Structures are given as structure tokens and as C-alpha cells.
Amino acid sequence: MQAPLRTLGLVAMVVAIGCGAEQRNDPAPLDRFTFPTGIAVHGQDLLVVSSNFDLQYASADGGSLLRVALGAAPAIQPGGLRIGSFGGELTVVDPARCPALGGTEALVTSRLQGRLYRIGLDGNALTCGAACEIRFDDDKRLGDPYGIGVTCPAGGTPRAWVGFLRTPLREAFIATIDLTTGARQVLSVGAGQVRSFAYDADTERLFFTSVDTQLAAPLSWIELASGCDPTLPENAGGCVVRAADLWGFLRGAELSGLDLSNPVPGQRRRVYVATKVYDADLAATLGTRPGFDVTGELMVLELAENATGNLEVKLVKTLYVGLGAAEVKVLPRRPNLPCNDASGVSVPNGCPQRDLVAITASEDGLFWIYDDETGTMRDVFGRDPQTGQPGLGRSPFGLAVQDLRATPGTGDGNARVYVGSFLDDFVTAVDVPLSGSAPADFVRAGTGPSAPPQRIGQVTP
């Protein structure tokens, strides 16, 4: 089984076929998922991107964005929206996050159609108006738009950032879109194809990972502070692009999804990176990346500014996660724990705990919860030891997180992690206690620990 992003040859082949006469298939169904990729929580809804990866449906509108009403019996709602096939990442932006926006939008890419869709989410309807589709297929440098980042600096321009998984000569390109005017600029940011983003609003740094980087593993970032204009060259008032090569920490590393730790006063920010690992010696012999991996790791990195203000990246640890290391999501900030200071006096309000982090490994069918407070994997979900059935489907991939506490962001309680199975066309929910030692567990379709996991969107033959 191959993970969704390991089949770039198929993507290129399909694009080539698409230049000829395509046999018209039916448009996407709007009552089921088909190879789900990006997922996100919006209020009491779960949004799911269907990619139509086998092209059973039409390439131009065989993908979809569907809305699931969350509750005791989650169900796909009417009014889904068709998009291009091979959908990528999904993120939601709203006026609370980006005050300059007039409404709430879901941003999602289509790799096959070369589009970014700005889908309206106000009310219960999904809408795609005149300015909804932003095209990249008019620029031959930009193939397979996948990852999406969003930056909304206070008083500045809100922007979406899109990375591309297929570019000429392995050059890294990012398209930046002004979310108020729709204006687009394309930036060259080094080597490799840009995969995923994470934004640190406190320091105004936009981090991104890249794939196919040829015996290097750059974690890169754009310095957006100091009033720079990312649409200009660096020597003309543009923004600085920097990188730290993680190859020295882990030979054979290829970086996938990433996320940042919750900001906590007095703690250095950390970056959690899902990392595929291939045979570095074989790659050196071949002169290119082998087509298979030997393992997958979670890299835990700590960020620190040196005396000159430049960012240094330090390795905290690596942990095994299995083949197909894919996506990473940091769970909501945990409640403080009682503690004493160095003199033995109780600290008012307690001391902060480090984060819980969710990770998927698609090829091995594994889902992990990493506890950064203890530095260990707290939970793992794989195959049922009695039945041999995969608990989260054969290819857990996309992740979304919901804070279930009565007052989100504070107190004890659970976070709910939604895990999409790429090959099985359903989403499974897992409840994770944010404090204490109780293990994470499935949200079940029935009462009692023996009830099967609830499968959102599963179609019964």
C-alpha cells in the first residue's frame, strides 16, 4: 500500500492523459467520502475533502468538500460541494483569525486541476462564487498544489500560502495569495517541493517542509516580521528565507507534516515533524531518493534565538512511528499541574505541561499520541490483537482536533481527534484525555468497551 503523497508518478501520468480526450465520468457523489485527505473541525461540523484518487469519478469535479454534523450520530449533510480531483490540505479561516476577511472560508487545493478553492462557510451552506477558484495551471512551474498555510498579522495583509509537489528541476515554489484582493505572487524558496506549513504568529515565522530534496532535509521558514513584503525580492524589501538541514540529525530524512507546540510563557517553542526515512547510502549510490522507506520517525525539535536574533533548531529526540509518517497535529493546551518552585513553595496556578501530539503513519496503519511532558508515546492504535482488523482503517492519514472541554482551552477534559482513512473512505474519532493517566479510546458505536469504533461516513454495501 502506498501513502497518498508517494504516487507523484501517477499524478504526472494522469495530468498527461488529461491533455488528450478524457472520457467523461460521473461527477463526485455528495453522500460519501472517496479517498479522504484533508479534514478540519469548524464549530460543530467536520469538513472532509474527498480526493477521488482512483479517478472513478470525473477529474474536473470528482472531488468534493463535505460537511458532517457532529453529535451522537455524525452524518454527512446535504449541500456538499464538488471540486477538482486529488484534493490536498484543508484549512479554515474566519474573521476571528483574520479580521480583514468578510466571512469564513475553507481553503482547499486540487492537485489534478491546479486550483485553490476559497469556499464560503457562512451559515450551513458551502458556496463557491465567482472568485472561489484560484488557478495555478496557467504557470508551468506550478504542479500539484497541496499544502496550505495562512498568515494574518495584526494590521497586516492576510495571506494564504500554497506549496507545490511537482516543479521543474526540483525548485521549491510557493504561491502567496492576498486574501483581501485575490492577488497572487510566486516565490522561489530553495530546492525541493514544498509540502506543508505551520505559522508562529508570535514571531511571524512561517515554517514549511519540503520533499524530494536530494540528500538534505531542510526545515525552512520565512521571516515575515519587520514589515517585509513577501512579494518583493529580499534585496528590495522582501522577506528572508532561512533553513536548517535536519539531515545531520537523521540521515535519510524526508520531512512530511508538521505542527508547532502551543505557546507557553517561559517555554521555548517546539516543532513536531512527521519524517519518512529512506536508505541514505542507497540514495548516495543511486544519486536520487529510493522509491521506498526503511522507517518513519517523529522528530521533536526545539527553537531558540541566538544572540544575533537568528533562529537555531535543536533536536530533542526522535521516536519511531512506522512507515508512511504523514500528518501531525498538536492537541489543545493541557491544564497546569501543581508544582513547587526551587525553594519548595507552591507555585500559584501550577506549572504548564508540554503538549500531546497526534501522528499518523499511513503505510503501517498506525496512529500515535506522543506526550512531550514525559517524552514517550502515550497511546498507539494499530491492528486489533484479536481480530487483526486495523482500528483506524488501513491507511490513517488526515487529522483534525476538537476541544471538548466545557470552556475550550481551560481545565480538565478531553480532546477529540478525527482520523481519516484514505483507503477505507471513513473517519474515526478518538477521545484523548488531556490530563491524568487514562488511555485514549475510540468513540464507539454503542455502549461498553467491546462496541466497535464509530465510523463516520462509512457506506454499508
Side-chain angles (χ1 to χ4, degrees), residues 74-427:
I76 296 173
Q77 299 300 296
L81 195 68
R82 294 184 176 96
I83 61 174
S85 296
F86 290 16
E89 289 188 345
L90 168 69
T91 190
V92 175
V93 291
D94 57 28
R97 181 179 177 187
C98 288
L101 295 183
T104 303
E105 297 180 1
L107 307 180
V108 60
T109 49
S110 165
R111 295 166 62 188
L112 191 54
Q113 293 301 303
R115 303 282 198 277
L116 171 70
Y117 296 89
R118 301 179 60 178
I119 297 171
L121 294 179
D122 292 318
N124 291 327
L126 306 179
T127 58
C128 187
C132 168
E133 296 187 23
I134 297 173
R135 298 184 60 166
F136 303 116
D137 58 345
D138 58 347
D139 189 328
K140 299 304 180 184
R141 300 172 298 172
L142 309 179
D144 286 8
Y146 178 77
I148 304 170
V150 174
T151 59
C152 295
T157 301
R159 288 188 169 92
W161 307 73
V162 178
F164 299 86
L165 292 173
R166 183 170 51 84
T167 60
L169 302 177
R170 299 188 179 95
E171 186 173 0
F173 289 108
I174 294 175
T176 177
I177 297 96
D178 185 325
L179 290 175
T180 55
T181 68
R184 185 193 80 182
Q185 296 285 337
V186 178
L187 316 177
S188 176
V189 292
Q193 284 87 43
V194 176
R195 202 271 193 193
S196 293
F197 298 90
Y199 180 53
D200 183 348
D202 292 341
T203 62
E204 295 188 55
R205 290 185 174 106
L206 179 66
F207 294 87
F208 59 93
T209 57
S210 300
V211 300
D212 201 11
T213 48
Q214 299 300 294
L215 305 183
L219 173 67
S220 307
W221 61 92
I222 305 174
E223 301 274 6
L224 294 171
S226 305
C228 69
D229 185 343
T231 66
L232 296 176
E234 182 180 332
N235 60 6
C239 301
V240 176
V241 180
R242 302 190 188 279
D245 189 357
L246 306 186
W247 185 273
F249 297 148
L250 183 59
R251 293 180 74 247
E254 181 179 80
L255 311 185
S256 297
L258 78 165
D259 205 357
L260 293 165
S261 63
N262 287 300
V264 176
Q267 285 187 355
R268 288 177 175 173
R269 207 78 186 262
R270 289 187 172 180
V271 185
Y272 308 99
V273 187
T275 307
K276 299 176 180 179
V277 184
Y278 55 87
D279 187 323
D281 295 327
L282 178 59
T285 300
L286 296 175
T288 189
R289 186 207 197 286
F292 61 91
D293 299 333
V294 295
T295 189
E297 302 281 327
L298 173 69
M299 298 187 77
V300 181
L301 307 162
E302 192 160 273
L303 307 176
E305 291 188 356
N306 61 24
T308 63
N310 291 325
L311 194 65
E312 295 180 347
V313 179
K314 301 179 180 180
L315 178 67
V316 177
K317 62 171 50 187
T318 64
L319 300 100
Y320 168 81
V321 296
L323 293 175
E327 300 300 322
V328 178
K329 286 291 183 185
V330 171
L331 275 59
R333 183 175 168 180
R334 306 162 79 181
N336 290 356
L337 291 175
C339 64
N340 298 329
D341 62 18
S343 61
V345 177
S346 177
V347 175
N349 301 319
C351 296
Q353 300 184 76
R354 289 202 175 273
D355 291 310
L356 296 174
V357 184
I359 314 101
T360 52
S362 296
E363 292 186 43
D364 274 348
L366 297 174
F367 168 70
W368 303 81
I369 298 294
Y370 167 67
D371 187 340
D372 202 20
E373 182 69 19
T374 63
T376 60
M377 289 297 186
R378 172 175 143 169
D379 302 284
V380 59
F381 293 78
R383 291 187 176 274
D384 185 289
Q386 272 74 46
T387 66
Q389 294 298 311
L392 290 153
R394 292 170 292 168
S395 55
F397 184 70
L399 294 170
V401 178
Q402 182 182 26
D403 193 339
L404 296 182
R405 291 175 289 188
T407 304
T410 62
D412 289 326
N414 291 348
R416 182 163 291 175
V417 183
Y418 297 92
V419 186
S421 179
F422 180 75
L423 291 179
D424 298 292
D425 301 339
F426 59 67
V427 175

